[in-house]
Each structure stands twice: as structure tokens, then as C-alpha cells.
Amino acid sequence: MKILKTATALGMVLSLQAGSGLAADADLTVFDWAGYEDPEFFAAYIDEHGDSPTFAFFGDEEEAFQKLRSGFRADAVHPCSQSVPKWIEAGLLAPLDTSKIERWDELEPSFRDIKAYTKDGQSYFIPADWGNTAVTYHSDHLSDADVASLHAFADPKHQGRISIGDNVDDAYALAFLATGVKDWTNATDEQFQAASEFLRAVHQNVRTYWSDGASLAQLMQSGEVYLAWAWNETYSTMSYEGHPIAIKRDTDEGASSWVCGYAKLADAPGSEDKFYDFINAWLEPKTANYLVNNWGYGHGNAKAMAEMNAEDLTAMGLEISEDLKTKTLWQAPVPSELREKMIAEFELIKAGF
């Protein structure tokens, strides 16, 4: 597969800081991760309305949750799977009118039909993008054998040369995997404590917790960081640009997989019609091809994905199969009590406690 990149533009959009905004169409505000304001994701919306939506950005989902709870208003939001039940119960999300989502039936059923995304028979979540969090390394400094195990992240010889995301879900996915847990939905308190202790060991080696793909790419390009726990995007973009960056999903303990998507916010101030126009643009095959080819992520439109080259998707770790869930830690929704403990403990670990 020829992966076409617009590296300069991509770096610019990814460098936007969380919490900043990008004003455009005042009738639709999208609360999103920085980088997803890329107009190629919703080209049909621009064709119809002549402008992009207005975007506001968050750095992680807990920040987004707290900001929304504090009264910030938007129309659409881009959470990931493990946050959705909490947001539904908090009353932040509105039920979807799936009859207005033109490609609803084309969405991957194993993502779309998860019970945790529904309440009283109504759906609240539109799976849009998915991928892996995996070992990503600078091959001028490390070999495949050096990163055969996730315990490399806690090895003192790598002190100051590693980075993991400033993201509680990815951090604990790493830690649970490293301590032998592939299904965190029923993790015991003992397993949670073991995972937390692993993260404390990793913290001793962390040069910085990365917050976006552009900042991590800069660290890895220079070799300042040579080992990272990163999303597909870092490997896809940097390897295309010719940097000696490799990804290893088949460590002794495995890798992690996740799904994110869009939801409609309760009490949305903007246009409901434009919300559905935005979603329909996102679910078009054209968008799916762009997401896969330019970002290295999978798309929620299973029909569009099925029309892509299967061998290429497998090589990129984007084949939906039983292995995706049995050989990875799938970031499925966890019990709210466990998630709150993960959030609180991760903040302590980053602070050095």
C-alpha cells in the first residue's frame, strides 16, 4: 500500500495545544483531539456547508469530562470506548437518531453494538476510528530483540530515553499487559496494584509523557527518546518520512487496541442537522481511505474497510479478527470504580508518588 503523507500540514495541526480552538462554522462545535480538524475527515460537510465546523480541543478524556461537567458547551465530542459509559451516566451525552446516520448499518458490529454504549434501547456512540497502542522504537538505537518484552520500559538501562502517553487508558493498558492481564474488565485489586507498581517503575525511566503525535515524533526523530508506547500514527508517519522507526505488536505480552468515535452532547447549542451531516461525512468510504492511508488507523465503517487490501491491513495491524481481542488488551469499558482508581493513581505516579 502506498501511504501518502502531508507531513508538514499534519505536524501543524497536531501541534495545536489542548484547550485551544479553531473557529469556523458557528452552527456546529466539535470538541475533539488535536489533529482531527483535518478537513479531509469531513470533506462532504465542507462541500455542503462551505466551511469546517468550529473545533475546540482536549488533551485527554478526563480533562474533556471535567470541562463538560463545568459547563463547556459543544455539539459533538470524540471520546474513546472506555469513557462512554461514564459520560452516559453523567448525563453528558444525548441518544442518537440512528435513522439519520446514513451508514449506520455499515459500521463494524463488534464496535457499534457493545451494550455499554446503549441505554434504554438507544445508542449513544458512533465508532469512527480505531487502532493499536504498541511498542515503537528507533532502530538505530534498539533492535527487535531489545523490545521483545514490555518490561523493557521498566529496565533502568533505558532511563531518560522512553516516553509513554499522558493518557490513563494507554498507560494502564501497558501496565496490565506487562503484569499478565489481557482482560482488564474484571481485574482484581491485586492486579490493579501490580499494574500500578509497574507504572511506578516505568516512571523512573520516562523522559516525558507525550501528549500528541507531533511532540513524540520530534523526540524520536532526534533519538532523544528511542522507546515509546505509541499509536499507529507515529510509526506510519515517521517511517514514511524515512526515519528509522519500527513498531512491534508481537511482544511477549502483546499490544493494546482501542476504538474511539463521536457522540452527540446533551443540550447541544448548535444545529442538529449539521451534527448528522458531520457524522455522515466522517463515515464515507473516502474518509475511511484517508484515515487508513494517511494516519495508519482503522475506520469504523466495516464495509469500506472490507474493500481495502486485506494483506495491507493485516500488515498494519488493522485486520478485525478474533486475534484483535484475544492477543491484545482490548480497551473495553471497565467498571466505574476501577476507572476512577486508575485515574487517581496515574496522577500520583506522574507526580512521583
Side-chain angles (χ1 to χ4, degrees):
M1 178 183 293
K2 184 178 181 182
I3 302 179
L4 302 176
K5 300 293 174 186
T6 52
T8 302
L10 184 58
M12 289 175 64
V13 296
L14 287 174
S15 68
L16 289 168
Q17 296 298 307
S20 64
L22 185 66
D25 189 336
D27 291 332
L28 185 71
T29 299
V30 180
F31 196 26
D32 216 326
W33 305 87
Y36 282 88
E37 72 279 18
D38 185 333
E40 293 298 327
F41 289 137
F42 43 87
Y45 181 94
I46 297 173
D47 291 344
E48 183 173 356
H49 298 291
D51 209 346
S52 296
T54 292
F55 279 86
F57 304 108
F58 56 83
D60 63 53
E61 288 158 277
E62 186 61 18
E63 174 196 332
F65 179 81
Q66 296 301 336
K67 188 170 182 178
L68 290 167
R69 286 285 296 270
S70 298
F72 177 75
R73 299 185 72 194
D75 303 296
V77 67
H78 194 166
C80 297
S81 59
Q82 54 276 16
S83 295
V84 175
K86 175 180 175 179
W87 290 29
I88 293 173
E89 291 307 314
L92 295 180
L93 305 183
L96 298 165
D97 183 347
T98 59
S99 70
K100 295 182 178 180
I101 301 175
E102 297 168 358
R103 298 182 185 273
W104 181 258
D105 291 339
E106 297 177 12
L107 296 177
E108 171 56 41
S110 65
F111 299 156
R112 183 194 61 205
D113 299 337
I114 292 175
K115 290 183 179 179
Y117 305 156
T118 64
K119 183 179 181 181
D120 299 329
Q122 295 181 293
S123 297
Y124 284 77
F125 181 67
I126 305 148
D129 54 319
W130 60 275
N132 311 124
T133 309
V135 169
T136 306
Y137 63 98
H138 197 301
S139 58
D140 281 352
H141 298 271
L142 297 173
S143 69
D144 188 79
D146 291 325
V147 294
S149 169
L150 297 181
H151 285 270
F153 285 96
D155 190 327
K157 71 182 180 183
H158 300 309
Q159 187 173 20
R161 304 297 297 278
I162 76 170
S163 184
I164 68 174
D166 190 3
N167 178 301
V168 64
D169 300 300
D170 281 330
Y172 269 96
L174 168 65
F176 275 121
L177 279 167
T179 53
V181 176
K182 280 192 169 64
D183 180 1
W184 66 4
T185 60
N186 55 10
T188 65
D189 188 64
E190 182 180 4
Q191 289 171 327
F192 168 71
Q193 295 299 334
S196 298
E197 289 310 306
F198 179 80
L199 283 181
R200 285 189 168 85
V202 172
H203 177 75
Q204 304 304 314
N205 293 339
V206 169
R207 186 171 192 87
T208 186
Y209 291 89
W210 62 266
S211 59
D212 60 67
S215 61
L216 177 59
Q218 291 172 356
L219 291 166
M220 296 199 76
Q221 181 176 342
S222 66
E224 184 178 349
V225 162
Y226 57 49
L227 175 59
W229 184 240
W231 300 329
N232 309 52
E233 167 200 327
T234 299
Y235 165 71
S236 178
T237 302
M238 294 191 71
S239 61
Y240 177 82
E241 293 172 358
H243 301 295
I245 301 298
I247 190 169
K248 185 172 179 64
R249 300 182 181 90
D250 61 343
T251 66
D252 293 343
E253 302 85 3
S256 182
S257 299
W258 45 263
V259 59
C260 302
Y262 285 96
K264 187 176 187 295
L265 285 164
D267 302 319
S271 166
E272 181 174 75
D273 288 342
K274 287 188 175 181
F275 168 82
Y276 287 107
D277 289 343
F278 174 76
I279 296 302
N280 288 328
W282 239 99
L283 299 184
E284 288 198 351
K286 177 181 178 182
T287 304
N289 278 283
Y290 180 76
L291 182 68
V292 170
N293 293 338
N294 288 65
W295 288 63
Y297 295 144
H299 194 279
N301 187 329
K303 182 178 179 182
M305 292 285 289
E307 293 172 357
M308 300 179 194
N309 185 287
E311 291 183 1
D312 290 338
L313 294 178
T314 299
M316 297 170 72
L318 297 178
E319 179 188 23
I320 297 179
S321 64
E322 284 305 308
D323 285 353
L324 187 67
K325 294 186 178 180
T326 60
K327 294 186 178 180
T328 70
L329 186 149
W330 183 253
Q331 292 187 24
V334 298
S336 58
E337 181 182 355
L338 174 58
R339 182 162 174 75
E340 292 307 312
K341 288 197 299 184
M342 288 162 58
I343 292 168
E345 198 73 6
F346 189 46
E347 291 304 314
L348 289 173
I349 291 167
K350 289 189 296 180
F353 296 103

